[in-house]
């Protein structure tokens, strides 16, 4: 469903508006600014089009200085996650420097912004509307969240904006369900990609040859397994650029890279007999750069130390691949033999596990507890150049795609200065996140955001007066 975020400075009536749209009292409504401490979400009952409401008001903060960091964070969260932003202002207070500061930020937002003038309880309060027109938002409306005045029109305006989004999402969802999980079967030449697909399909649908580079194009093959639709994308084996000896190989490599980008899950096939090569590492790096879920298939397992104990063989093989592809540590393993068909069905079973795990995105409360505990247990070091320490204000999880059959969340971190985030500390946070919330096969993407000096100018001017 589309997401509608309600933002604004403290005590403008965001929670009252949230409760009326949700059709029940969920958020606490109080005259004291900053009562709402956590983001609260609920389905809308008032609008004709289904949507998810988010009350972002007064997040976690000290609001005594008039333009607290949390107010800025509130706008950032809405811009990162919402399909529509309701920017709530107070008709009784008039236009304030804080409103102007937030408006300046929200004008840069990609989602549409609707200005909602609240607390217009009767006709005499409508005159305040003219003062807010200079904020420059095309869509605006006055309401009384407490008394329900003009509320039907507000719901109509929201429906008009989000209805096309629902159609777009429904169409994408329907198409995605028909196509199913798109698996890009990738790997170096002669790793056994086509053999693996044939073994999965129980049919010789792709050409298998000992000649490296037999598969020239990316071929889409539909398949149904345990009631789930899949599309298997058989790709040409990637070779180092220096060894691409003709234009056909160059275009084949380009199509393989495109297949990785359009896939839901990359299946990286490793030839256990030859071990992890430089080309395997290059392909793995491409998967990582494209931020794709990944499953590693250890192929030709039947020929890998065949006389040894099965568990010992699996342990040795996974240890080798973990060491060589350490940067792709989030990817689980399946050991199989495409030639004999041994354990091949585990590839699709593991893909379904990855899909199921991807839908379990942690809620805001759990996410912040995991990361705040990580900061408390091991505080970031003081940066020697900037002479200060990284501070985490708030975190939220957002999926950038309208609909993805295996969504990859972006963990947005709002901090005092993003330059203070080192690669080693980000790696530490990744490990702590995984320890607190397991999601095998799914990459962890951190987006670190900080306040800029310009964002704080409205507060400084306000304090000067």
């Amino acid at each position: 469903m589309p997401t509608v975020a309600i933002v604004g400075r403290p005590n403008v009536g965001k929670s009252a508006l949230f409760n009326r749209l949700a059709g029940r009292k969920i958020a606490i409504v109080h005259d004291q600014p900053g009562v709402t401490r956590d983001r609260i979400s609920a389905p809308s009952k008032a609008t004709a089009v289904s949507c998810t409401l988010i009350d972002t008001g007064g997040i976690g903060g000290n609001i005594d200085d008039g333009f607290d960091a949390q107010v800025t964070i509130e706008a950032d969260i809405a811009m990162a996650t919402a399909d529509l932003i309701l920017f709530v202002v107070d008709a009784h207070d008039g236009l304030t420097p804080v409103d102007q500061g937030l408006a300046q930020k929200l004008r840069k937002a990609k989602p549409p912004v609707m200005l909602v003038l609240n607390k217009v309880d009767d006709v005499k309060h409508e005159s305040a509307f003219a003062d807010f027109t200079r904020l420059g938002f095309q869509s605006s409306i006055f309401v009384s969240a407490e008394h329900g005045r003009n509320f039907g029109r507000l719901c109509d305006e929201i429906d008009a904006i989000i209805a096309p989004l629902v159609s777009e999402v429904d169409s994408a969802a329907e198409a995605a369900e028909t196509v199913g999980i798109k698996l890009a079967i990738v790997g170096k030449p002669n790793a056994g990609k086509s053999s693996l697909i044939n073994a999965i399909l129980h049919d010789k649908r792709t050409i298998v040859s000992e000649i490296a580079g037999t598969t020239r194009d990316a071929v889409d093959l539909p398949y149904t397994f345990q009631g789930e639709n899949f599309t298997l994308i058989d790709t040409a084996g990637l070779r180092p650029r220096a060894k691409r000896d003709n234009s056909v190989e160059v275009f084949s490599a380009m199509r393989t890279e495109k297949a990785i980008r359009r896939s839901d899950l990359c299946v990286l096939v490793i030839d256990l007999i030859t071990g992890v090569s430089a080309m395997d590492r290059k392909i793995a790096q491409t998967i990582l750069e494209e931020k794709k879920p990944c499953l590693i298939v250890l192929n030709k397992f039947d020929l890998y130390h065949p006389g040894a104990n099965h568990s010992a063989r699996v342990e040795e093989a996974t240890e080798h691949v973990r060491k060589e592809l350490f940067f792709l540590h989030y990817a689980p393993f399946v050991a199989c033999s495409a030639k004999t068909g041994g354990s091949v069905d585990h590839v699709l079973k593991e893909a379904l596990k990855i899909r199921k795990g991807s839908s379990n995105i942690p809620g805001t409360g759990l996410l912040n507890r995991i990361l705040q505990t990580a900061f408390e247990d091991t505080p970031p070091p003081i940066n020697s150049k900037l002479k200060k320490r990284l501070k985490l204000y708030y975190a939220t999880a957002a999926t950038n795609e309208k609909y993805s059959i295996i969504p990859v969340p972006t963990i947005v971190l709002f901090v005092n200065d993003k330059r203070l985030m080192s690669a080693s500390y980000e790696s530490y946070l990744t490990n702590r996140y995984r320890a607190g919330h397991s999601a095998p096969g799914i990459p962890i993407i951190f987006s670190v955001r900080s306040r800029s000096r310009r964002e704080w100018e409205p507060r400084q001017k306000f304090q000067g007066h």
Side-chain angles (χ1 to χ4, degrees):
M1 292 189 294
T3 299
V4 177
I6 303 172
V7 305
R9 61 184 176 82
N11 211 29
V12 294
K14 298 186 297 297
S15 295
L17 185 67
F18 174 89
N19 287 341
R20 188 167 287 275
L21 286 169
R24 55 199 176 107
K25 290 186 178 181
I26 301 171
I28 300 170
V29 178
H30 196 279
D31 289 338
Q32 179 184 343
V35 169
T36 303
R37 296 297 184 187
D38 297 309
R39 295 177 74 205
I40 304 170
S41 64
S44 171
K45 297 291 181 66
T47 53
V49 179
S50 297
C51 63
T52 299
L53 305 168
I54 297 180
D55 180 12
T56 59
I59 303 164
N62 166 23
I63 46 90
D64 295 336
D65 61 3
F67 193 12
D68 178 72
Q70 302 298 339
V71 179
T72 302
I73 291 170
E74 179 180 328
D76 285 333
I77 294 169
M79 289 192 289
T81 61
D83 296 295
L84 169 64
I85 299 172
L86 301 184
F87 176 26
V88 186
V89 293
D90 188 334
H92 293 178
D93 292 345
L95 185 60
T96 70
V98 179
D99 294 324
Q100 292 175 321
L102 273 172
Q104 183 180 354
K105 237 183 133 46
L106 291 173
R107 279 194 291 270
K108 303 173 187 175
K110 289 183 180 179
V113 179
M114 184 189 302
L115 179 67
V116 179
L117 180 63
N118 192 26
K119 304 184 184 180
V120 182
D121 303 325
D122 52 47
V123 177
K124 68 181 181 182
H125 296 137
E126 293 179 17
S127 59
F129 203 56
D131 196 28
F132 288 91
T133 56
R134 56 179 150 142
L135 293 178
F137 295 106
Q138 293 183 347
S139 179
S140 57
I141 189 172
F142 62 82
V143 299
S144 171
E146 184 176 354
H147 302 292
R149 189 166 185 258
N150 215 25
F151 214 73
R153 186 184 158 205
L154 171 65
C155 293
D156 291 341
E157 295 278 351
I158 294 172
D159 286 335
I161 294 173
I162 65 175
L165 298 176
V166 174
S167 301
E168 179 185 331
V169 171
D170 286 345
S171 299
E174 186 178 343
E177 288 295 339
T178 302
V179 173
I181 303 173
K182 297 189 292 294
L183 299 185
I185 314 297
V186 297
K188 67 185 178 184
N190 216 24
K193 299 182 297 299
S194 296
S195 296
L196 178 65
I197 288 180
N198 287 342
I200 291 172
L201 299 176
H202 304 288
D203 188 14
K204 293 184 178 180
R205 296 282 295 277
T206 59
I207 300 171
V208 177
S209 171
E210 292 182 359
I211 302 172
T214 301
T215 303
R216 294 292 192 181
D217 209 343
V219 182
D220 288 14
L221 301 166
Y223 185 64
T224 302
F225 177 76
Q226 294 186 352
E228 294 281 350
N229 292 332
F230 288 85
T231 295
L232 310 180
I233 307 172
D234 187 19
T235 62
L238 284 176
R239 294 204 292 180
R241 290 183 184 276
K243 293 185 179 180
R244 294 174 193 171
D245 49 16
N246 55 47
S247 60
V248 175
E249 279 211 32
V250 172
F251 283 113
S252 294
M254 289 172 61
R255 282 191 287 267
T256 297
E257 289 160 1
K258 183 179 179 181
I260 290 174
R261 286 194 294 272
R262 70 184 176 93
S263 69
D264 297 307
L265 174 64
C266 292
V267 177
L268 175 56
V269 182
I270 301 292
D271 182 345
L272 273 180
I273 306 308
T274 59
V276 176
S277 66
M279 198 62 232
D280 290 321
R281 285 190 286 272
K282 174 61 179 173
I283 298 168
Q285 188 65 41
T286 302
I287 294 170
L288 185 68
E289 289 170 358
E290 293 296 333
K291 302 178 176 60
K292 288 295 180 179
C294 183
L295 170 64
I296 297 175
V297 171
L298 309 176
N299 192 28
K300 306 183 184 179
F301 187 67
D302 57 317
L303 303 178
Y304 185 76
H305 303 323
N309 175 270
H310 181 274
S311 298
R313 290 162 62 208
V314 172
E315 186 177 343
E316 184 179 340
T318 54
E319 185 179 346
H320 165 68
V321 178
R322 278 273 181 252
K323 181 181 177 181
E324 296 296 327
L325 301 178
F326 62 91
F327 51 89
L328 209 62
H329 54 82
Y330 63 88
F333 293 93
V334 170
C336 68
S337 171
K339 186 175 182 179
T340 67
S343 299
V344 165
D345 60 332
H346 289 182
V347 175
L348 296 188
K349 288 179 180 177
E350 197 65 36
L352 290 175
K353 285 183 185 177
I354 292 172
R355 179 190 179 181
K356 184 178 180 181
S358 71
S359 63
N360 186 25
I361 298 171
T364 304
L366 174 59
L367 175 62
N368 280 272
R369 284 194 295 273
I370 292 171
L371 295 177
Q372 289 290 0
T373 302
F375 268 74
E376 290 168 7
D377 291 347
T378 306
I382 295 175
N383 185 288
S384 57
K385 291 183 179 179
L386 300 175
K387 307 298 182 185
K388 56 183 178 178
R389 193 191 303 271
L390 180 72
K391 293 180 182 178
L392 175 65
Y393 294 124
Y394 198 75
T396 186
T399 51
N400 295 327
E401 298 298 324
K402 291 291 182 187
Y403 182 88
S404 178
I405 206 158
I406 302 182
V408 176
T410 296
I411 310 301
V412 186
L413 305 179
F414 298 100
V415 301
N416 56 333
D417 191 336
K418 66 180 181 181
R419 294 175 299 172
L420 298 169
M421 176 67 81
S422 65
S424 60
Y425 201 75
E426 186 171 323
S427 178
Y428 161 71
L429 291 179
T430 299
N431 294 335
R432 289 297 298 262
Y433 174 86
R434 288 198 181 280
H437 189 84
S438 177
I442 306 298
I444 303 300
I445 305 168
F446 283 119
S447 175
V448 186
R449 304 185 186 182
S450 59
R451 307 176 304 225
S452 67
R453 184 180 298 275
R454 186 172 55 186
E455 289 170 346
W456 286 80
E457 285 176 358
R459 181 189 75 160
Q460 291 163 352
K461 290 177 183 178
F462 176 65
Q463 289 178 335
H465 288 294

